[in-house]
Amino acid sequence: MTDARVEGCVIGSVLGLALGDALGAPFEGKRASAIPTLLPALELAWRDQPPGSTTDDTAMARNLVRSLADREGFDPDDLVRRHVEWFTSAPLDVDSLTRRVLSRAVRGEQADDAARRIWDERGPEVSAGNGSVMYCAPLGVAYANRPSELPRQAPALSALTHFDGRCRSACVAVTMAVAALICGEEATSAVASALGATADLEGGEELEFLVDAVGRSRPIDGPDQGFCLFTAAAALQALVDGGSFEDELLSVVRLGGDTDTNAAVTGALLGARGGVQALPERWLARLADRDAIETEARALAPLAEQREEPRRAT
């Protein structure tokens, strides 16, 4: 039988991601100065969709959740298949780098090969977007009690669409933090685990700096607003600050920039910290597909409790 606390944190993380996405979507791309202090939470339309609608962040996260549950672990081929199926359904919004990769995958290329080639063609200056970070949190949920897998699995997930080393590092940080929170670690300990896991990776030192700097000494609403380390740092900063789910999500959106993705990742971490009971019910009531997302999340709880196999003596 699944532990009730763990199940609540699993569901809280997945629903928290979707809530953050829906909260931030109407303000995506805006400067902080253009976002009202009294934020109308889940009250505004997004691309003519009703309030509470979610973006590609949640769509790709749900693909990952379903794949993890159905395959009982990370299966990159199955995940790409689901992403391609979703992509060919003509979604309203697709991250630009993800679009390039999946367009090639539709034509038969291996996604990770396509991502590597695109990185080679475009160069690192424009290849460190947050399109893999935005949906990676469920991987940390599924491997919560097998965190030694994440420094290998998280970069592999990122490299399906975003090859850049900083993207891979950001995914390691987010998934390690989520795993620690699901296991009941305090928020500051979870942040330390995330930063420790990325200290020697590309962008690790910058990420540690940005956890203190984003939205303070380092604005994140400018031309480089979709930078993967901004998104990971904003979410980790929210954990360090220690406020409520609602207060921290609103604060992240008020920073402007890539508001839906920054809030989605933050929501995933804060939901893992406090569980589903920490999510505002009035927000959940407005969330599109709330019941379906919750059902899908519940199926991840048994995976979150799986532990690493003990090593055999030789």
Side-chain angles (χ1 to χ4, degrees):
M1 181 178 295
T2 303
D3 178 86
R5 186 201 66 80
V6 171
E7 184 175 74
C9 291
V10 169
I11 296 171
S13 183
V14 178
L15 277 177
L17 186 156
L19 275 179
D21 183 20
L23 177 70
F27 307 99
E28 182 182 11
K30 291 184 179 294
R31 291 280 188 172
S33 59
I35 298 176
T37 301
L38 295 176
L39 203 74
L42 283 81
E43 296 176 6
L44 301 178
W46 171 75
R47 298 197 178 189
D48 297 324
Q49 301 300 301
S53 296
T54 56
T55 76
D56 56 335
D57 301 45
T58 300
M60 294 185 76
R62 292 179 71 181
N63 287 342
L64 178 58
V65 168
R66 297 182 193 114
S67 180
L68 288 164
D70 290 351
R71 305 298 296 173
E72 298 184 349
F74 177 51
D75 182 335
D77 292 336
D78 182 73
L79 180 59
V80 169
R81 178 187 63 78
R82 293 170 190 266
H83 284 342
V84 167
E85 183 178 335
W86 162 76
F87 179 67
T88 55
S89 72
L92 286 174
D93 185 35
V94 185
D95 168 80
S96 60
L97 193 51
T98 299
R99 179 182 296 278
R100 290 172 182 267
V101 172
L102 294 183
S103 294
R104 295 189 183 193
V106 168
R107 299 195 296 268
E109 281 192 54
Q110 287 288 115
D112 53 352
D113 289 343
R116 174 63 183 266
R117 292 191 187 100
I118 290 169
W119 185 84
D120 287 337
E121 293 164 5
R122 288 164 57 84
E125 292 80 8
V126 292
S127 300
N130 55 19
S132 59
V133 185
M134 71 185 190
Y135 80 94
C136 72
L139 184 70
V141 170
Y143 286 87
N145 276 288
R146 294 170 288 169
S148 66
E149 295 282 337
L150 291 171
R152 177 175 60 89
Q153 303 279 32
L157 182 148
S158 181
L160 295 175
T161 54
H162 291 66
F163 175 81
D164 193 277
R166 292 162 294 177
C167 301
R168 288 179 276 160
S169 298
C171 287
V172 171
V174 169
T175 57
M176 289 293 288
V178 169
L181 293 164
I182 294 289
C183 289
E185 289 190 30
E186 294 293 327
T188 52
S189 176
V191 173
S193 294
L195 295 178
T198 55
D200 296 327
L201 301 179
E202 185 176 351
E205 186 175 342
E206 185 176 6
L207 176 61
E208 184 174 11
F209 164 76
L210 286 172
V211 170
D212 291 325
V214 289
R216 296 167 182 166
S217 61
R218 183 65 172 90
I220 61 172
D221 59 347
D224 54 353
Q225 61 184 250
F227 183 37
C228 59
L229 297 183
F230 284 172
T231 295
L236 295 174
Q237 184 186 94
L239 283 179
V240 172
D241 287 350
S244 69
F245 181 94
E246 183 173 340
D247 288 345
E248 294 297 344
L249 258 291
L250 291 171
S251 294
V252 166
V253 173
R254 290 190 192 105
L255 296 179
D258 199 357
T259 50
D260 58 326
T261 295
N262 296 339
V265 179
T266 302
L269 267 62
L270 296 175
R273 179 193 69 180
V276 67
Q277 66 270 18
L279 278 53
E281 180 57 40
R282 68 186 187 286
W283 289 8
L284 287 170
R286 300 171 184 165
L287 178 65
D289 294 333
R290 178 252 182 102
D291 291 341
I293 295 170
E294 181 169 346
T295 298
E296 292 163 4
R298 197 179 303 277
L300 275 189
L303 273 183
E305 292 192 312
Q306 282 189 20
R307 298 184 180 274
E308 295 173 344
E309 293 289 335
R311 293 183 178 179
R312 294 182 179 180
T314 57

